[in-house]
Amino acid sequence: MSALEPRDAGVETGTADDAEAPGGTESAVESGGVLGRTYRALSVGIVSVVFLIAFEATAVGTAMPVAARELHGIPLYAFAFSAYFTTSLFAMVLSGQWADRRGPLGPLAAGISAFAAGLLLCGTAGSMWIFVAGRAVQGLGGGLVIVALYVVISRAYPKRLQPSILAAFAASWVIPSVVGPLASGSVTEHLGWRWVFTGIPVLVVFPLALALPAIRRRASGPADPTAPVEPYDRRRILLALGISLGAALLQYAGQELNWFALLPAAVGVALLVPAVRGLLPPGTGRAARGLPSVVLLRGVAAGSFIAAESFVPLMLVTQRGLSPTMAGLSLAAGGGTWALGSYVQSRPRLEPYRERLMVGGMVLVAAAIAAAPSVLIEAVPVWTVAVAWAFGCFGMGVVIASTSVLLLKLSAPEEAGANSAALQISDGLSNVLLLAAGGAAFAALGGGAVGAVHDAAGAGAAGSHPGAFAAVFLPMAGVALVGAWVAARVRTR
């Protein structure tokens, strides 16, 4: 059956609505919800994994400027972020093939271990290049984990529970988004930035002990144990390497902004174009209805939002004089509204209106991004950003969770890994490319290097030109509006 065709839940292998699992048959009443007796250990374990990744993501931004200064690595500041995304792109493809052929247990365990190893490498780094290498190892782990988790959901949970567990993933970001900046700032100030990285791996033991046995019982092995195991697709793995290298070269070219940067930019494009065409579903570039539009929407939504959000704290620090901690906390409410949006889309009564919800969500995202630079006007109160971003995060909660639900709906069990990888590649690649584009526009209009601005802001230096921020936010709002059009094309019936 084609991955583009919606499937009847009653004939879906391993994810039927009657909750038939690999370990045996059980009624819906016995299985309960995601925290019922049947799924409790699995749900708590995999949500704990997401919680740790969320905490690291929200905490690392606070410690990163201090780490770069102490390691004398301000010129490499942006690479500490892009290294994570570029290696995760390759790991997503590898994880998809690994999970489809052997089950999600292996890539999930390897990913958690690599993520922890990368954190330790960052925390013990003696130079900025070692620190960047640690972030790259983290990206490998993160890419393996996120795709494997989608395959776990596809294999272990019935369709009726999949929206709920995805909503739980979103909810697991709420506490880290509020506590992460405060905890990281306090640890950095009193114990040192290294403890932000070396302290988190200790917490990996809990989700490993809880989730892995449950996954082994409910989602281990290939989707069809009786079918012969296909060999790894070496072409797709090479394409994954190409997409990672191409994204890294474009990121480098966007930062350099000189004639010599045209060569790596050209090589990056030459690597990216065939890789994207080979790794994303046919028709993604033209927003074909069904799975291609779902994959494209994920990239458009995530890329425009993350590229804009990355500049919000910097804008508040350099233009309105907020402290870095307060600037980061101005986005804290977004964690709660994101979870609320994810919860709203999970309600069964709203399922017939999912496409309309996604269009509305993208309109909210576009409006929030467009409203953010209004605080460049002194008369506009700074809390305007917090309010706008809360609405934008609600829209993102609806859209991101909905794309995940639709991906699983449109994927046969044996294709869940590859299609989940395509979804995450669209997400990660858009992050890299739109961040590079936004950073290039910011630098070209007087913003200067992002890392240098962070360093200067910490020392109380003067802010950048306001027009540089407008050149980031307004185009990203336009990209988000394109996402509203793409969302109208995901309808499959």
Side-chain angles (χ1 to χ4, degrees):
M1 181 179 294
S2 170
L4 301 181
E5 299 176 11
R7 292 164 289 117
D8 182 351
V11 297
E12 184 176 0
T13 304
T15 57
D17 280 337
D18 64 357
E20 184 174 334
T25 303
E26 55 209 10
S27 69
V29 174
E30 290 174 335
S31 65
V34 295
L35 291 179
R37 176 174 55 84
T38 301
Y39 300 103
R40 186 180 299 124
L42 178 62
S43 298
V44 173
I46 63 177
V47 169
S48 297
V49 173
V50 177
F51 180 88
L52 288 177
I53 294 176
F55 187 83
E56 186 275 340
T58 55
V60 72
T62 304
M64 193 76 79
V66 180
R69 287 196 297 267
E70 289 193 9
L71 295 174
H72 307 290
I74 290 297
L76 299 176
Y77 184 89
F79 284 99
F81 292 97
S82 61
Y84 183 100
F85 289 116
T86 53
T87 56
S88 68
L89 291 172
F90 168 73
M92 290 169 189
V93 176
L94 178 61
S95 182
Q97 294 204 31
W98 191 351
D100 282 343
R101 287 157 177 76
R102 303 292 182 182
L105 184 63
L108 184 62
I112 294 175
S113 301
F115 192 81
L119 285 168
L120 291 174
L121 188 58
C122 287
T124 57
S127 69
M128 192 61 179
W129 277 116
I130 299 298
F131 186 91
V132 170
R135 291 288 291 167
V137 174
Q138 274 188 263
L140 287 172
L144 289 171
V145 167
I146 192 64
V147 172
L149 287 178
Y150 276 96
V151 178
V152 169
I153 294 172
S154 175
R155 300 267 189 93
Y157 291 89
K159 285 191 66 176
R160 65 183 179 84
L161 293 182
Q162 289 175 3
S164 296
I165 191 64
L166 290 169
F169 279 12
S172 67
W173 281 77
V174 175
I175 294 177
S177 66
V178 176
V179 176
L182 288 174
S184 177
S186 179
V187 169
T188 300
E189 181 179 350
H190 295 96
L191 298 177
W193 64 267
R194 295 181 184 276
W195 285 97
V196 175
F197 294 91
T198 57
I200 294 177
V202 178
L203 305 177
V204 171
V205 176
F206 172 74
L208 277 175
L210 196 60
L212 296 187
I215 295 172
R216 184 178 292 109
R217 290 194 303 270
R218 304 192 64 84
S220 61
D224 184 0
T226 63
V229 178
E230 297 183 3
Y232 284 88
D233 189 338
R234 295 183 180 180
R235 176 178 174 273
R236 288 182 65 85
I237 293 177
L238 289 175
L239 290 175
L241 282 173
I243 207 171
S244 294
L245 291 174
L249 289 170
L250 284 179
Q251 174 77 12
Y252 170 80
Q255 285 188 305
E256 290 300 306
L257 290 178
N258 56 45
W259 290 107
F260 295 104
L262 291 177
L263 178 59
V267 175
V269 171
L271 289 171
L272 274 179
V273 171
V276 169
R277 290 174 62 88
L279 293 174
L280 299 186
T284 299
R286 55 184 172 85
R289 293 188 182 277
L291 185 63
S293 288
V294 172
V295 172
L296 179 61
L297 176 61
R298 179 59 164 261
V300 170
S304 60
F305 190 80
I306 296 300
E309 187 178 58
S310 299
F311 285 87
V312 169
L314 184 59
M315 178 176 65
L316 294 177
V317 169
T318 60
Q319 303 301 303
R320 297 302 296 266
L322 270 66
S323 68
T325 301
M326 290 303 298
L329 288 176
S330 68
L331 306 178
T337 57
W338 190 308
L340 178 62
S342 184
Y343 171 80
V344 167
Q345 66 79 37
S346 72
R347 299 300 86 197
R349 69 181 66 178
L350 295 178
E351 178 62 31
Y353 310 102
R354 183 175 297 281
E355 290 82 6
R356 296 181 186 177
L357 284 173
M358 295 168 72
V359 172
M362 288 309 304
V363 170
L364 284 177
V365 171
I369 296 173
S374 65
V375 298
L376 295 169
I377 304 171
E378 287 292 333
V380 177
V382 292
W383 51 260
T384 301
V385 171
V387 174
W389 225 248
F391 280 98
C393 285
F394 178 85
M396 285 294 289
V398 170
V399 173
I400 296 301
S402 290
T403 56
S404 300
V405 171
L406 289 174
L407 176 104
L408 296 178
K409 177 182 178 182
L410 298 171
S411 299
E414 66 274 9
E415 298 170 330
N419 290 342
S420 296
L423 189 77
Q424 297 303 323
I425 287 170
S426 179
D427 187 319
L429 181 61
S430 294
N431 285 340
V432 173
L433 296 183
L434 291 180
L435 274 169
F442 183 74
L445 292 180
V450 173
V453 171
H454 270 284
D455 193 41
S464 303
H465 194 281
F469 289 98
V472 173
F473 288 99
L474 298 183
M476 295 306 160
V479 173
L481 280 179
V482 172
W485 172 77
V486 176
R489 296 183 57 80
V490 302
R491 189 185 301 274
T492 59
R493 58 184 180 277

